[in-house]
Amino acid sequence: MAAPTSMLLTGISELWTLDPALDDPARPGRVTEEQVLHDAAVVIEDGRIAWTGPEAEAPPADAAEDLGGRAVLPGWVDSHSHLVFDGDRAAEFEARMAGQSYAAGGIGVTTAATREASDERLRRLVRARLAEAAAGGTTTMETKTGYGLTVADEARAARLLAALAKCGELDEVTFLGAHLVPGEYDGQEGRPGAEEYVDLVAGEMLTAVAPHVRWIDVFCEEGAFTPEQSERVLRAGAAAGLGLRVHGHQLGRSGGVVLAVELGAASVDHLNHLSADDVEALVATVSRPTADGEGPGLLAVDAGPTVATVLPACDLSTRAPLAPARALLDAGAALAIASNCNPGTSYTSSMSFCVGTAVLQMHLSLDEAIRAATRGGALALRRSDVGHLGIGALADLHVLDAPAAIHLAYRPGMPLTHQVRRRGERIA
Ligand code: NIG
């Protein structure tokens, strides 16, 4: 029997379409009443949203499923993760809970273990992590290289991720050779130093990795890369046609925000330590128009706002001051929430946990947090085809095992994912 090409989902208590066509320009970052339907239905056709509206008016379809009074959201768009790694840093985490503070150097521990892993083992680890994310409602995932830090190891990670992206198992791949200056570039006893490593990243390493990635990122922070070094890497990436992303202001006022804004980065992530000027600089980017990129559903990587991406699980796991998501949104910045899944600072890919935390701890309203974890992430990845359920969007749906999305914060830590569809197909 041929697979049905259209599917009607009914029994939806809340349908969060977040349709961009229904945005209120006077309230950017907020969800309007029209963007959440009640007693609704959705029709999926050929992997895309074909119709949404009141259940009583739903058109017929080849197949139908009653969701039993559950809430339906767009799948989470996780715009920041580091999934290519081997090794365990539970002891480092435990020491942190006993009072030690996080420092960038822990990246070196994971780098050593990752370099040792076989290609097959790394692929298996990444796929298992992608499956965990999907099981929690994530349907669009960005992930980074950054635990190889040699030309061969970074190119290997990029190739592995590009192959998974080609099979539709992940979406966006980022080169993060500038994650840490590896130990062999310590400038001691005749060994090369940090500047030589930056030359390598911006030169031979970028050349090897660029064909496999859409983005370049840099950890602009004390103990990692200075603003000058970061700029060198980002400019080389832009010259190679890559979109820019920045890790900044995680451990202090690193200068990453000014750099990201000046260079037109799509996103600057972490943001635990911000001045009023930093916030203003991010807000000023919101008036930059987006532009169409290459390919359907893609926006240009070098146009549009620099999205302020906050990482609630990371802030908890490092006991850092929470990023000021409330103040950023109130000031008018474009906001995203991401998991930052990685072995050092945030070993979770649960976007539901991040959204719940943003409500409970960062004082966002539910609709602000959901929007930041869907539309916000999509903007940070310059994608217009995900993060919402407007007509024509990819049919990426997260069906909650709850009648209302507020349960994400009301019942923290509970298994609230009932079903996940990516491009219309059940993946969890
Ligand atoms: O985003 N800040 C830099 N990179 C990761 C941490 C990586 C690690 O400690 O292994 C982050 O938090």
Side-chain angles (χ1 to χ4, degrees), residues 104-126:
I107 295 165
V109 174
T110 299
T111 299
T114 305
R115 287 176 181 174
E116 288 295 307
S118 69
D119 294 2
E120 188 40 48
R121 180 172 164 79
L122 271 190
R123 185 174 307 105
R124 191 158 39 78
L125 290 169
V126 174

Side-chain angles (χ1 to χ4, degrees), residues 80 82 89 102 107 147 179 219 247 250 270 340 342 344-345:
H80 184 141
H82 307 246
R89 285 170 51 201
Y102 173 75
I107 295 165
Y147 291 117
H179 200 187
F219 187 13
H247 284 62
Q250 178 180 12
H270 283 289
N340 187 21
N342 78 79
T345 62

Side-chain angles (χ1 to χ4, degrees), residues 26-73:
R27 299 178 69 240
R30 271 61 168 196
V31 176
T32 64
E33 259 180 45
E34 299 75 34
Q35 288 172 324
V36 185
L37 308 178
H38 297 271
D39 302 317
V42 54
V43 176
I44 299 168
E45 224 169 85
D46 298 326
R48 292 187 180 265
I49 302 295
W51 182 91
T52 57
E55 181 174 329
E57 296 171 18
D62 298 332
E65 182 176 341
D66 184 346
L67 294 174
R70 294 183 165 88
V72 174
L73 307 175

Side-chain angles (χ1 to χ4, degrees), residues 23-310:
D23 278 349
D24 177 354
R27 299 178 69 240
R30 271 61 168 196
V31 176
T32 64
E33 259 180 45
E34 299 75 34
Q35 288 172 324
V36 185
L37 308 178
H38 297 271
D39 302 317
V42 54
V43 176
I44 299 168
E45 224 169 85
D46 298 326
R48 292 187 180 265
I49 302 295
W51 182 91
T52 57
E55 181 174 329
E57 296 171 18
D62 298 332
E65 182 176 341
D66 184 346
L67 294 174
R70 294 183 165 88
V72 174
L73 307 175
W76 301 128
V77 180
D78 189 351
S79 59
H80 184 141
S81 79
H82 307 246
L83 300 187
V84 195
F85 66 86
D86 199 357
D88 180 273
R89 285 170 51 201
E92 175 189 319
F93 173 77
E94 206 167 352
R96 198 155 68 233
M97 294 306 104
Q100 275 186 23
S101 47
Y102 173 75
I107 295 165
V109 174
T110 299
T111 299
T114 305
R115 287 176 181 174
E116 288 295 307
S118 69
D119 294 2
E120 188 40 48
R121 180 172 164 79
L122 271 190
R123 185 174 307 105
R124 191 158 39 78
L125 290 169
V126 174
R127 293 187 77 193
R129 292 172 188 135
L130 288 169
E132 279 182 343
T138 297
T139 50
T140 301
M141 190 91 185
E142 179 268 9
T143 199
K144 306 174 199 297
T145 71
Y147 291 117
L149 310 186
T150 65
V151 173
D153 287 296
E154 286 295 302
R156 168 172 88 138
R159 273 196 311 272
L160 184 162
L161 294 175
L164 291 173
K166 207 166 170 200
C167 306
E169 292 190 51
L170 90 121
D171 302 271
E172 299 281 336
V173 184
T174 301
F175 168 43
L176 181 57
H179 200 187
L180 187 79
V181 178
E184 59 272 22
Y185 284 81
D186 64 3
Q188 303 294 306
E189 296 168 8
R191 286 187 292 272
E195 293 302 323
E196 281 91 343
Y197 183 66
V198 172
D199 290 342
L200 182 76
V201 172
E204 193 188 339
M205 197 183 278
L206 174 63
T207 304
V209 170
H212 308 294
V213 304
R214 186 171 179 233
W215 301 99
I216 186 166
D217 199 341
V218 59
F219 187 13
C220 178
E221 201 75 57
E222 172 124 24
F225 295 87
T226 65
E228 294 70 28
Q229 293 167 338
S230 302
E231 178 168 352
R232 207 139 65 81
V233 169
L234 292 172
R235 284 195 187 279
L242 305 182
L244 311 184
R245 324 188 67 76
V246 176
H247 284 62
H249 299 238
Q250 178 180 12
L251 308 176
R253 288 187 186 158
S254 65
V257 166
V258 169
L259 185 63
V261 167
E262 278 180 6
L263 298 187
S267 185
V268 55
D269 304 25
H270 283 289
L271 307 178
N272 302 86
H273 303 271
L274 291 183
S275 67
D277 285 352
D278 294 325
V279 174
E280 220 174 278
L282 287 165
V283 173
T285 68
V286 169
S287 53
R288 280 191 209 139
T290 47
D292 285 344
E294 286 173 42
L298 297 184
L299 299 171
V301 292
D302 57 356
T306 298
V307 175
T309 300
V310 299

